[in-house]
Amino acid sequence: MSEISQSLAISASGMRAHAARLRLTSENLANVDTPGYRRKVTSFEQEFKVGEATGLVRKGKTNLDQSELPKIHDPSHPLADAGGYIQGSNVNLMIEIADAREAQRSYEANLKMFEQTRKMSSALLDILRR
């Protein structure tokens, strides 16, 4: 694979991975007030080809944050236990906003790299056609 094609593939894999991360962050934000909801987290994995790193990344396995769920006293809630407590969500709004911003910026950086590589490729083709 040529360097230009490889660069495009690497940028595209980064955009796919960060788009998946943004989806998880959106799910977490949507469920910040859902009783018993556990925050979803993921990591990135590097892809290998016959023991050699390709530079491509992908979203790893999605896991649930196992931190303790807060207990909220709300005796009128239908899910309340005998003591009047419900389990809250372990989603921290500030962490999710920061994660979303980081994923968005990383996506934009990969997009910019993709666009620059495409422009270089187009310019190279124009030169070769002359």
Side-chain angles (χ1 to χ4, degrees), residues 42-102:
T42 191
S43 61
F44 297 133
E45 297 174 350
Q46 188 172 8
E47 292 186 14
F48 290 89
K49 178 180 171 184
V50 191
E52 181 181 320
T54 62
L56 303 174
V57 295
R58 65 174 174 244
K59 183 184 86 60
K61 183 179 176 187
T62 300
N63 296 309
L64 298 178
D65 184 345
Q66 295 301 314
S67 63
E68 190 173 331
L69 296 175
K71 288 191 172 200
I72 301 167
H73 188 258
D74 186 0
S76 64
H77 196 283
L79 297 176
D81 61 13
Y85 288 93
I86 61 168
Q87 287 188 328
S89 164
N90 65 355
V91 175
N92 182 323
L93 191 58
M94 295 305 287
I95 289 173
E96 296 306 320
I97 290 171
D99 282 354
R101 175 170 263 175
E102 181 184 2

